[in-house]
Amino acid sequence: MIVVMEKNATEDQIEHIAQRVQQLGLRAHVIRGTERTVVAAIGDKRGGERESLASSPGVSDVVPILAPYKVASREVKPEPTCVSVLGFAAGAGAVGVMAGPCSVESEEQIVTTARAVKQSGATALRGGAFKPRTSPYSFQGMKEDGLKLMALARQETGLAVVTEVMSTEEVELVAKYADVLQIGARNMQNYRLLEAVGGSGKAVLLKRGASATVEEWLLAAEYILNEGNPNVMLCERGIRTFETHTRFTLPLASVPYLHRKTHLPVIVDPSHGTGHSYLVPDMSVAAVAAGADGLIIEVHPSPETAMSDGYQSLDFQQFDDTMQRCAKVAAAIGKHLH
Ligand code: PEP
Ligand code: MN
């Protein structure tokens, strides 16, 4: 249920409702909008709560939340959420760009990439230190040494650092170095991991599972939000279909669809979404045109020699060209690259 407060409801009245919701055995999420405050009451209803809350002072209305996800829904929070970390921002008009290699490979590789992508307008550096590889024989990442190099690159450039965390046990370690914790497609439904990143205090980039529906994806986001972490970004990275001309199928319609359903920012990953570097520039531009709140793009100083995903990585010049095109499209639709 959503308890919609009167426009001029006092802090005491809002606090009183939050307490009443908790007394009813439900969880209270207070969301302060520009127009008015709402208190979302989440949990299993036993009946009678609606009437009981509707008569409290300062309450304008009590309405059921129709979507199966609650805190993530536009019904609960009509205004878009902007997630910002250091100089990076995504949502509410800001288009944030995260760029960098698939895997951190060396100091030289990550620091030169950080400098280059910053120069081209990225505000966050991506790079995997713990890599979820399909084969156990593939490069698994530099682990903590990789995290240290990401932190060094942040120190050199001021870019926010985005990196994947693969297990509950490693959340504390990764959170020590990262600004944004990435949950990979393979872990989208690892619910204990979602709860752990929810409690980490760090912003989260939640990638869509390759065979997850939008509803399953939003319910996964709900696990993170329910830990009291409002800084969740959804990342469309493509789904598995019968089609083989691209690595995955990148459904850009999910961007405007999600904007109808959720206030959370939507990031697009055209690198994993297509699996071909020659498709990445156009799909980046298309994602911005479709209303994406950000992009995450694989960029490598020498894609040919990359230890992972070189075939879908841009070099510095290709990334710079792509950014210039994206900036023009963003401006044309009243947004800005951040
Ligand atoms: C990645 O970002 O390098 C990655 C492994 O992505 P995904 O989880 O979307 O496959
Ligand atoms: Mn990759």
Side-chain angles (χ1 to χ4, degrees):
M1 285 174 301
I2 308 170
V3 184
V4 184
M5 303 301 295
E6 306 263 14
K7 270 195 176 137
N8 53 5
T10 65
E11 275 307 312
D12 282 351
Q13 288 171 334
I14 296 167
E15 181 54 32
H16 173 72
I17 289 298
Q19 277 172 14
R20 286 281 302 125
V21 166
Q22 274 151 11
Q23 282 161 8
L24 291 165
L26 301 168
R27 216 191 297 210
H29 273 272
V30 180
I31 296 145
R32 286 162 211 280
T34 44
E35 281 287 300
R36 50 175 93 210
T37 295
V38 304
V39 180
I42 317 278
D44 268 340
K45 282 178 290 193
R46 286 163 302 196
E49 294 93 344
R50 191 168 166 184
E51 295 68 27
S52 132
L53 291 166
S55 55
S56 296
V59 172
S60 152
D61 205 358
V62 181
V63 287
I65 309 172
L66 299 175
Y69 37 88
K70 311 293 176 193
V71 190
S73 79
R74 280 261 178 195
E75 296 170 66
V76 166
K77 182 172 183 276
E79 301 92 12
T81 291
C82 177
V83 173
S84 61
V85 199
L86 302 179
F88 170 89
V95 180
V97 180
M98 314 172 205
C102 179
S103 305
V104 183
E105 298 169 10
S106 68
E107 177 176 333
E108 159 89 10
Q109 176 238 24
I110 198 67
V111 173
T112 51
T113 306
R115 291 209 176 98
V117 298
K118 182 179 181 178
Q119 182 72 29
S120 300
T123 46
L125 177 68
R126 65 147 288 148
F130 290 91
K131 292 304 302 177
R133 303 306 301 281
T134 301
S135 164
Y137 306 117
S138 301
F139 175 57
Q140 301 288 310
M142 290 182 73
K143 315 232 160 76
E144 189 169 5
D145 289 341
L147 296 175
K148 286 183 181 158
L149 294 179
M150 288 295 278
L152 174 71
R154 171 180 48 215
Q155 203 182 311
E156 295 286 316
T157 59
L159 292 175
V161 160
V162 187
T163 196
E164 177 161 356
V165 57
M166 286 174 56
S167 76
T168 323
E169 299 77 49
E170 283 148 5
V171 169
E172 207 181 311
L173 174 73
V174 180
K176 207 166 92 184
Y177 298 98
D179 303 299
V180 179
L181 300 177
Q182 176 177 327
I183 297 295
R186 292 156 188 82
N187 266 319
M188 189 206 84
Q189 287 179 308
N190 181 340
Y191 300 118
R192 297 296 86 80
L193 180 60
L194 300 177
E195 286 166 353
V197 297
S200 70
K202 297 286 175 174
V204 178
L205 181 71
L206 178 65
K207 290 196 139 196
R208 178 180 189 173
S211 59
T213 64
V214 167
E215 192 169 299
E216 288 165 339
W217 185 16
L218 286 167
L219 285 165
E222 195 80 3
Y223 273 89
I224 305 169
L225 296 164
N226 268 343
E227 296 301 313
N229 185 344
N231 296 313
V232 178
M233 295 176 271
L234 299 165
C235 177
E236 175 59 84
R237 47 79 75 210
I239 52 174
R240 180 142 290 165
T241 68
F242 55 84
E243 184 53 77
T244 53
H245 78 289
T246 47
R247 184 179 176 191
F248 292 95
T249 297
L250 183 60
L252 285 183
S254 63
V255 177
Y257 181 81
L258 281 164
H259 282 152
R260 288 175 75 98
K261 299 289 174 185
T262 179
H263 52 87
L264 298 174
V266 184
I267 310 296
V268 171
D269 176 346
S271 308
H272 294 85
T274 64
H276 297 290
S277 58
Y278 61 85
L279 295 176
V280 171
D282 286 345
M283 292 313 283
S284 302
V285 174
V288 175
D293 303 295
L295 296 168
I296 180 162
I297 302 179
E298 287 186 335
V299 178
H300 194 283
S302 158
E304 204 178 43
T305 57
M307 293 177 79
S308 59
D309 288 355
Y311 49 83
Q312 64 189 31
S313 302
L314 300 184
D315 65 22
F316 296 163
Q317 186 59 53
Q318 290 165 331
F319 177 67
D320 192 68
D321 294 344
T322 303
M323 288 294 280
Q324 290 189 32
R325 292 174 61 200
C326 287
K328 283 188 204 154
V329 174
I333 57 169
K335 294 183 170 186
H336 55 278
L337 290 192
H338 206 93

